[in-house]
Amino acid sequence: MLQKLREKSSGWIATVILGLLCVPFAFFGMEQYLFQRNANFAAKIEAPPTWWPSAPAVWPVTMLWQRAEIDADEFRTVYEQQRQQQRQAEGEGFDPRAFESADNKRRILEGLIDRRVMRMMAERDGVVIDDGLLRETIQSVPAFQVGGKFDPQTYQLALSSQNQSPRQFEQIVRDDLLQTVIPRGIADSAFVTKSEMDRLLKLIGETRSVSYVAMSGPAPDDAPVPDAEIQRWYQQHAAQYRAPESVTLEVLDIDSSKLPPAGAPSEATLRERYAQEQAKFGTGEQRMVSHILVKPADESPAAQQAAEAKANDLSRQAKAPGADFAALARANSDDAGSKTGGGDLGWIEKNGLMAKPFEDAVFAMQAGEVRGPVKTDFGYHVIQVREIKPSQQKPFEEVREQLLAEQAESERERAFNELLGKLVDEVYKNPTTLAGAARLGNLQVQTVGPVTRVPSAANAVNPVLANPAVLRAAFSESLIQDGTASDPIEIAPGRSVLLRVKSHTPERTLPLAQVRERVIAAIRADRAAKAASAAADALLAEVRGGQPLAAAAASRQLAVTDLPELARGQPVPDPAANEAFFAVPPPAAGKLSVGKVRLLDGRMAVFAVSKVTPGDPSKATPAQRSQLQAQLGQIAGAEDAQALVRELRRKMTITVAEDRL
């Protein structure tokens, strides 16, 4: 039998079977085997080739697909940038837990995916960003503007602070534009027809004649509530009867304003401070400068030589007797920010804000001198120093009182920092208690609480607890679980606190016995609301049956309020009521459109719309029409761009690595 098995396994049948078994492995296993690598993507985007849009997502066909990845580092960079932006926008109200939620991380990643999808489409279709759009975009950045105008000095300073050259920044902007130019073009191309505008203006300007009856408030319900109903309501609305998470805290408050004052500084100390801070009490030498910038067309040697030659020629012209430097700058400078002003850069100090070769040249020149070309990362400069203002210094006697106040503040700050450092060292030695730190600093440990995560009236008893940063630390997992003291939390300049969670009570459902009266009150309020709604339904049925609203109201001793020509959006009697009045369809000839609405004060109102008057589009001014048309176009364009992204994503395969977010 073994011999037969050996013969069967070595024959042509076995070869065919083995070949058939290899087919699925070739398509579904070999790709990972042959092309495995250390993946680090947060999201991977794969698109079929344009010439085969229906290409199957199987290997080896997938080798033809276009691929792009958003790596985990890129996601983390954008994630942290948005964290800082939101923290700056919200200040102390910033909630890191909410920002770090899985939903928010996915929202940020989805935005990156949308942008990468648009970039893939732009690259596929050969879209390029021209220099004009690039220049216009950079000059429109608010961070590079002074007084609403692009400022080259501010631009240079901003790039220098990030260790970037103009070429590097331009490439970043060019890449960003490549991802947004198509959606922006789609949005800008959207338009609204005249008939659509007229229809919208008719709706916006529409008025309605309305009559309404405000029902009496819900009658008090003091009927007995059975235990079974109480139990049923409690179970159905258990989420309404929960006690929030709370902590009881030990707080050590270190306030520099309560420290003993330092002794008066000596005259020698004040003079030493004056000598160290002379620059603050004077102005350095300033020079009024103009320049002509010649930028090479590209980074090739030929372009550099051509730019240098042009700058040399302009320098010769500017040095000629009677030359008009401003006219030469307006005609030839490549610096769009100063060109129209004749190359004027204003007063410049030697403070490192300008490119170093440029600054060195300026402060080596005499008033009225022209020098150049001077090469920087921006190109070749021809420089004119028009005027020199020497440095000025205030004498010691004039600033003595300011020095005295600053020295006292400096001493208080030094004492505060020394004390805080000692307290922190003590806490590190004994992290589960604040008693040792309190004794060391001659301070009192306060016990406060219980306090809740959301600021409340109870929290306001202690002003420290009104600080969101303190609350975030108080409810951090490390302090709750370990029972250790916090790091110092600054709640104001010169004032910090140390916290320790003394006890923690998690969120919990309150027992029925504790909330029984609240449940009974809720049941009775619900009964009263339902009774009021039923009374409104009865009145509404009579009006729908053909009885005039006034007659139906009179039988109930209720007053009718008439609102002739009520405008859309007018909060009469309140916004919810106005919305309900305009939500019902226009009445047919000789009929009424009726409905009911709950007013903000809790009462029910029954209303009848007797007349609808469309707005008159001819009354809109050209400016109003233009503004509305632009707004509608933006909305429509944004929707079109989003639809394009959705359609592109539908044809792609997008893989998200949730564990790397």
Side-chain angles (χ1 to χ4, degrees), residues 533-659:
S533 182
D537 288 337
L539 176 57
L540 186 61
E542 291 181 14
V543 177
R544 283 176 174 163
Q547 186 175 6
L549 179 61
S555 66
R556 293 169 170 79
Q557 298 182 342
L558 298 173
V560 177
T561 302
D562 295 320
L563 301 172
E565 304 300 323
L566 179 68
R568 182 186 294 273
Q570 187 176 351
V572 178
D574 60 41
N578 184 277
E579 185 177 346
F581 297 161
F582 282 85
V584 297
K591 300 290 186 180
L592 298 173
S593 283
V594 298
K596 70 173 183 176
V597 61
R598 187 178 298 278
L599 303 178
L600 293 182
D601 62 8
R603 294 182 298 164
M604 297 297 300
V606 175
F607 63 88
V609 177
S610 57
K611 180 184 176 183
V612 173
T613 304
D616 185 357
S618 65
K619 291 183 178 179
T621 66
Q624 290 172 333
R625 292 184 71 97
S626 177
Q627 182 180 8
L628 182 60
Q629 190 166 13
Q631 292 173 346
L632 293 175
Q634 290 175 355
I635 294 172
E639 291 176 349
D640 291 343
Q642 291 171 0
L644 172 62
V645 173
R646 286 195 299 270
E647 181 62 20
L648 290 171
R649 291 184 60 156
R650 189 180 65 82
K651 298 176 181 179
M652 297 178 175
T653 299
I654 298 175
T655 306
V656 174
E658 300 281 358
D659 59 323

Side-chain angles (χ1 to χ4, degrees), residues 169-489:
F169 182 71
E170 287 174 5
Q171 187 58 49
I172 293 172
V173 176
R174 198 181 294 273
D175 291 342
D176 184 72
L177 286 172
L178 196 62
Q179 301 178 90
T180 60
V181 66
I182 293 179
R184 186 184 303 173
I186 293 173
D188 292 344
S189 66
F191 62 92
V192 181
T193 65
K194 182 179 182 300
S195 61
E196 290 174 325
M197 281 290 298
D198 289 344
R199 179 173 177 272
L200 183 59
L201 287 169
K202 288 179 181 179
L203 287 173
I204 292 174
E206 179 183 297
T207 61
R208 295 190 169 197
S209 295
V210 182
S211 298
Y212 75 93
V213 175
M215 311 289 289
S216 301
D221 185 333
D222 54 2
V225 181
D227 289 343
E229 187 176 358
I230 293 173
Q231 183 67 37
R232 183 168 59 253
W233 181 277
Y234 173 74
Q235 292 175 347
Q236 293 174 350
H237 302 84
Q240 299 177 10
Y241 305 106
R242 292 184 64 81
E245 179 185 17
S246 64
V247 291
T248 298
L249 301 172
E250 290 181 345
V251 180
L252 195 60
D253 189 352
I254 308 101
D255 190 345
S256 63
S257 66
K258 297 179 180 178
L259 296 179
S266 65
E267 195 74 5
T269 300
L270 293 180
R271 288 191 176 277
E272 181 181 357
R273 187 181 187 95
Y274 173 75
Q276 293 173 349
E277 300 180 0
Q278 279 191 355
K280 186 171 69 175
F281 301 115
T283 56
E285 180 181 328
Q286 296 179 318
R287 301 192 170 209
M288 184 175 284
V289 178
S290 297
H291 82 138
I292 301 171
L293 174 64
V294 180
K295 293 178 64 175
D298 52 51
E299 296 182 357
S300 66
Q304 297 286 335
Q305 291 173 6
E308 186 176 11
K310 181 179 177 181
N312 270 309
D313 182 54
L314 289 170
S315 181
R316 284 192 296 270
Q317 295 181 52
K319 293 175 182 177
D324 188 339
F325 192 94
L328 285 172
R330 280 190 288 268
N332 298 282
S333 181
D334 292 329
D335 180 4
S338 66
K339 179 177 182 177
T340 56
D344 181 24
L345 296 177
W347 291 100
I348 292 177
E349 291 188 28
K350 194 168 187 179
N351 50 19
L353 297 183
M354 307 297 288
K356 188 176 187 306
F358 186 96
E359 190 176 82
D360 290 345
V362 166
F363 283 88
M365 296 167 62
Q366 302 298 319
E369 182 181 351
V370 174
R371 183 176 295 191
V374 174
K375 188 177 186 306
T376 70
D377 288 339
F378 297 95
Y380 295 87
H381 304 259
V382 179
I383 306 170
Q384 180 191 46
V385 173
R386 289 152 39 212
E387 188 178 344
I388 296 176
K389 187 186 296 184
S391 60
Q392 297 178 347
Q393 190 72 30
K394 292 181 181 179
F396 171 79
E397 290 73 17
E398 186 177 336
V399 297
R400 187 180 186 284
E401 291 303 317
Q402 180 181 346
L403 289 167
L404 190 61
E406 291 177 354
Q407 183 65 26
E409 180 61 30
S410 177
E411 289 293 333
R412 182 164 42 249
E413 182 178 343
R414 181 189 60 78
F416 172 77
N417 290 332
E418 286 183 358
L419 174 61
L420 189 60
K422 292 177 181 178
L423 298 183
V424 170
D425 289 342
E426 180 63 26
V427 166
Y428 283 165
K429 295 176 184 176
N430 301 283
T432 59
T433 179
L434 293 175
R439 285 192 300 271
L440 182 63
N442 195 25
L443 300 171
Q444 182 78 29
V445 177
Q446 306 172 47
T447 299
V448 295
V451 296
T452 57
R453 185 185 297 273
V454 178
S456 62
N459 297 34
V461 173
N462 189 320
V464 171
L465 300 176
N467 188 296
V470 171
L471 287 178
R472 285 196 297 272
F475 286 91
S476 64
E477 293 183 7
S478 58
L479 263 64
I480 290 174
Q481 293 177 0
D482 301 341
T484 54
S486 70
D487 291 330
I489 303 168

Side-chain angles (χ1 to χ4, degrees), residues 66-129:
Q66 181 185 9
R67 286 179 174 79
E69 290 185 359
I70 300 170
D71 63 42
D73 291 339
E74 179 182 358
F75 167 76
R76 297 302 305 182
T77 299
V78 174
Y79 177 75
E80 290 303 325
Q81 288 174 348
Q82 292 203 17
R83 181 203 295 272
Q84 293 303 322
Q85 291 171 0
Q86 189 166 330
R87 186 189 298 276
Q88 291 175 0
E90 297 181 3
E92 293 297 336
F94 175 70
D95 185 354
R97 281 195 175 187
F99 185 85
E100 293 168 5
S101 66
D103 289 343
N104 190 53
K105 289 180 179 178
R106 188 59 185 263
R107 178 189 63 80
I108 294 172
L109 181 61
E110 290 296 328
L112 287 173
I113 292 172
D114 288 347
R115 291 169 66 87
R116 192 57 54 87
V117 165
M118 295 307 304
R119 178 172 178 173
M120 291 173 67
M121 186 187 77
E123 291 174 342
R124 181 194 66 190
D125 295 341
V127 176
V128 294
I129 305 301

